[in-house]
Amino acid sequence: AELGKLEREHETTQAVHSVKKATLLALIPGGGQFYNRKYWKVPLAWALIGGAGYYYFDQNQSFNAYKSILLAIEESPALTTRTELQTAYPELFEQLPLPIYATTSIQVGREAIGYMETYRKQREYAAFAVIGVYALTVLDANVDAHLFHFDVSDNLTVSPSLLPKIAPNTATVGLALNFRF
């Protein structure tokens, strides 16, 4: 009877903290960590997702800046040098993160395509980072919810210690592991 009572108490405390609810709330960044009472992880989750998201939008903006140069070259085939392009579209060249050094419009187009490739790759890495960090926050909330009632008291310790053993004519050193439950 006493064992059944303890099992029922354990089930009611388990029901109070739901793994499903923690995982569902984790769909909101930091929600699962807040539910699991790991409050210090909430700003960390926000910062990681926000940082990766900011990097994505920054790379996308740079990509689009070079794309607009390429579109300007297509729209104005009569402009054959970089100087003519800069005179006709000064606002496009001012927003570029890195300067273009080519002299002809064909070379400017090739250089813009090279920059676009670099920024596209970095943008994709940032998108994977956003998705990966988001998935890790959901996984972290799920694992923390599973381990919410895990006993971490001092009665569950492993304490390794070196034991010198001195025999009459020899000295040896051993290792002992003590488990306390």
Side-chain angles (χ1 to χ4, degrees):
E2 185 99 8
L3 183 61
K5 182 180 176 185
L6 288 173
E7 286 176 352
R8 281 191 299 271
E9 285 179 12
H10 181 71
E11 287 173 7
T12 45
T13 57
Q14 291 288 353
V16 170
H17 195 83
S18 169
V19 175
K20 287 181 183 178
K21 189 172 183 180
T23 306
L24 185 63
L25 285 172
L27 297 177
I28 301 168
Q33 286 75 13
F34 188 82
Y35 178 74
N36 290 330
R37 299 183 190 135
K38 303 285 183 172
Y39 304 116
W40 65 273
K41 290 183 179 181
V42 174
L44 186 63
W46 289 346
L48 290 173
I49 291 173
Y54 174 78
Y55 188 67
Y56 174 85
F57 287 113
D58 184 53
Q59 298 304 304
N60 190 47
Q61 188 176 13
S62 298
F63 175 85
N64 289 332
Y66 288 105
K67 186 178 178 181
S68 64
I69 294 289
L70 210 54
L71 293 174
I73 292 170
E74 284 181 4
E75 288 177 4
S76 307
L79 305 174
T80 58
T81 66
R82 183 189 72 215
T83 308
E84 291 173 350
L85 284 167
Q86 274 183 304
T87 305
Y89 303 102
E91 69 282 351
L92 296 181
F93 282 87
E94 289 171 2
Q95 68 182 0
L96 295 178
L98 298 170
I100 290 183
Y101 297 107
T103 54
T104 68
S105 63
I106 293 173
Q107 292 172 340
V108 168
R110 288 183 184 148
E111 196 170 342
I113 289 172
Y115 283 130
M116 286 172 61
E117 292 285 323
T118 301
Y119 286 115
R120 180 192 53 78
K121 187 187 323 180
Q122 294 301 318
R123 182 181 64 182
E124 289 172 359
Y125 289 153
F128 286 128
V130 168
I131 293 167
V133 169
Y134 180 74
L136 282 176
T137 61
V138 173
L139 181 66
D140 175 64
N142 185 285
V143 170
D144 273 347
H146 276 288
L147 298 176
F148 189 77
H149 295 289
F150 187 74
D151 184 16
V152 289
S153 65
D154 288 336
N155 293 335
L156 299 172
T157 59
V158 175
S159 54
S161 60
L162 289 174
L163 300 173
K165 293 186 179 187
I166 302 174
N169 289 329
T170 61
T172 59
V173 177
L175 181 67
L177 287 175
N178 299 320
F179 296 96
R180 288 187 291 157
F181 296 101

